[in-house]
Amino acid sequence: MFLSSVFRIYPSTEQKEILEKLIDGFNYETNRIINYFIDYQSERFVEYKQINDVVPWSSKNEVIKQARIDFRKVMVGHSKVSRFSYDFCKWSNMSFRFIENQELLIETSKREMIVLKVHYNDFIKDKIDNTIITSLKIRKIKSKWIATITYQTKKKTNDFKNIMGVDLGIKVPAVVATSTNKIRFFGNGRERRFLFIKYKSELKKGSKEKTPCKKNSNKLSKRLKYIDHKISRDIVNFAIREEIGLIKLENLKQLHRNKSNNTVSTWSYYRLMKYIVYKANKEGIKTVLVNPRNTSKRCPKCKKLNQPAKRNYECICGYKNHRDIVGAINILNH
């Protein structure tokens, strides 16, 4: 499997100009190849000599790969634009290498080499020394220069036999039920609601004053993503402790595509689901998506459908429980 890690680079003033030209060249050439594909309505064979030398020689392969990826998005209708904006330049593993004293050697468009000063921690150093690095991406974020390496690593495997069902919700972001009869609640829906109201009210106030604040919107997005990352990590760590080999989740892809469903968009069910799947697969835990229909209405005991009363679930057969626990158990038994 392929993973990525990020670290800082510290180019000189002259090197900054070189990197900015490389980024502009990568952006221009990638869009030119995309339009070339669009003109023929198919992915054509592209030779390196068809790509201008405004990008490094080995980066031409990355231009072609990126153009193919985004051309497919255009053809299947996932993107309505035919011109993309790339704020980075990429190198294949043949055109860069790490040297001593935290320095990075990269190829420029003139087939020359420059040495960049970088800073990375022991975790990234271990990846550099012990994994196969496949590509390098450099971009500028405000005044900072960021590098991302993609590396290949072996996927973990395990022989765990236990199963876990995960129910995603608003007031309780996630409830899990295991085949070992354990129930756990993860996250705090009130924290999400507080953040959403706080930042949205500031955005609304700014729009009335005709001074919309993108900073608050970015802060909200980052905070919500951080919360989803933490919840998903806690769930996967719990699964490892309980020797879970399979995690069952509600299939929320259709809900995610339904743009009229503001609840799903607001509370990021789909994003949390993706984070759980990604982190579980990284740990060698399998995941499957089940149909979410009636998971919070079906009685786990007699299988009859009942309408929950707020957070409480009660069936005519006498079964009582929290509605989210009922959902997690039904997902587990699906």
Side-chain angles (χ1 to χ4, degrees):
M1 63 185 301
F2 293 92
L3 301 174
S4 61
S5 293
V6 178
F7 56 90
R8 289 283 302 277
I9 62 174
Y10 300 91
S12 64
T13 303
E14 183 180 352
Q15 290 173 340
K16 288 178 182 178
E17 294 178 359
I18 294 173
L19 292 174
E20 286 172 351
K21 288 181 180 179
L22 291 174
I23 291 172
D24 290 341
F26 187 92
N27 180 59
Y28 177 81
E29 288 301 303
T30 305
N31 277 290
R32 192 173 66 83
I33 299 302
I34 291 173
N35 290 327
Y36 172 66
F37 292 157
I38 290 174
D39 289 342
Y40 285 93
Q41 291 293 297
S42 66
E43 296 180 30
R44 310 285 289 186
F45 175 74
V46 180
E47 295 182 350
Y48 279 17
K49 65 182 180 181
Q50 292 177 253
I51 301 174
N52 295 326
D53 291 332
V54 292
V55 294
W57 181 260
S58 61
S59 295
K60 294 182 178 184
N61 184 50
E62 298 298 330
V63 167
I64 297 169
K65 290 196 313 188
Q66 189 67 50
R68 292 186 187 282
I69 291 170
D70 290 328
F71 170 70
R72 290 165 191 162
K73 292 180 182 178
V74 174
M75 295 305 291
V76 299
H78 289 172
S79 175
K80 296 181 180 179
V81 299
S82 58
R83 181 166 186 83
F84 295 82
S85 178
Y86 305 100
D87 61 347
F88 59 83
C89 187
K90 291 185 73 174
W91 289 260
S92 64
N93 58 4
M94 299 297 292
S95 57
F96 70 90
R97 63 186 177 90
F98 291 89
I99 54 181
E100 296 180 355
N101 301 320
Q102 295 214 0
E103 291 179 329
L104 174 63
L105 188 68
I106 65 169
E107 181 187 359
T108 68
S109 57
K110 298 179 180 179
R111 296 199 183 184
E112 298 175 351
M113 306 296 287
I114 61 172
V115 178
L116 299 171
K117 197 70 179 177
V118 302
H119 176 73
Y120 48 79
N121 55 26
D122 292 338
F123 174 81
I124 295 178
K125 186 177 187 306
D126 177 66
K127 302 305 175 186
I128 293 171
D129 295 338
N130 301 311
T131 62
I132 299 174
I133 301 176
T134 58
S135 67
L136 168 73
K137 180 191 293 185
I138 292 179
R139 60 160 37 100
K140 184 181 180 182
I141 302 178
K142 295 183 179 178
S143 61
K144 298 178 181 179
W145 287 88
I146 307 296
T148 304
I149 53 171
T150 302
Y151 54 91
Q152 190 173 9
T153 183
K154 290 183 178 180
K155 188 175 180 180
K156 293 183 180 179
T157 58
N158 61 61
D159 298 324
F160 299 154
K161 303 298 183 183
N162 295 329
I163 303 173
M164 182 168 76
V166 182
D167 178 78
L168 305 180
I170 297 177
K171 290 191 176 181
V172 182
V175 179
V176 305
T178 71
S179 55
T180 56
N181 297 322
K182 289 190 176 181
I183 304 292
R184 290 291 186 278
F185 289 74
F186 291 91
N188 185 347
R190 292 181 179 178
E191 180 184 11
R192 287 167 171 255
R193 191 183 303 107
F194 170 78
L195 290 172
F196 187 79
I197 293 173
K198 174 185 174 182
Y199 287 110
K200 286 299 180 182
S201 62
E202 292 180 6
L203 283 172
K204 188 175 181 180
K205 181 180 178 181
S207 63
K208 287 183 178 179
E209 298 173 356
K210 297 184 178 180
T211 57
C213 184
K214 291 184 179 180
K215 188 175 181 180
N216 288 328
S217 179
N218 292 335
K219 279 185 178 179
L220 174 62
S221 177
K222 288 179 180 178
R223 290 291 297 274
L224 292 177
K225 284 183 180 179
Y226 171 79
I227 291 172
D228 287 339
H229 270 300
K230 187 177 185 306
I231 292 173
S232 60
R233 172 45 57 193
D234 290 342
I235 290 173
V236 173
N237 287 343
F238 174 75
I240 294 171
R241 291 195 301 271
E242 296 299 317
E243 298 186 349
I244 301 297
L246 175 65
I247 296 178
K248 294 183 178 181
L249 295 137
E250 295 171 292
N251 187 352
L252 303 175
K253 289 184 178 180
Q254 296 299 325
L255 293 177
H256 174 66
R257 295 191 185 110
N258 183 4
K259 295 182 179 179
S260 65
N261 194 323
N262 294 324
T263 303
V264 175
S265 175
T266 302
W267 300 109
S268 62
Y269 293 156
Y270 182 69
R271 182 173 62 206
L272 179 56
M273 181 196 76
K274 288 199 302 181
Y275 288 171
I276 295 171
V277 171
Y278 167 74
K279 290 178 172 63
N281 290 339
K282 189 177 174 181
E283 297 295 336
I285 302 173
K286 295 179 181 179
T287 56
V288 295
L289 303 180
V290 303
N291 190 338
R293 184 178 177 84
N294 294 327
T295 52
S296 296
K297 296 180 180 180
R298 182 173 288 105
C299 176
K301 187 176 180 181
C302 69
K303 308 302 179 184
K304 291 183 179 179
L305 297 180
N306 300 278
Q307 189 67 38
K310 294 184 178 181
R311 312 311 299 167
N312 300 317
Y313 180 92
E314 185 173 354
C315 181
I316 56 175
C317 70
Y319 179 86
K320 297 180 181 180
N321 215 328
H322 190 285
R323 63 172 293 176
D324 293 337
I325 295 177
V326 171
I329 292 173
N330 282 326
I331 293 170
L332 171 67
N333 297 330
H334 196 282

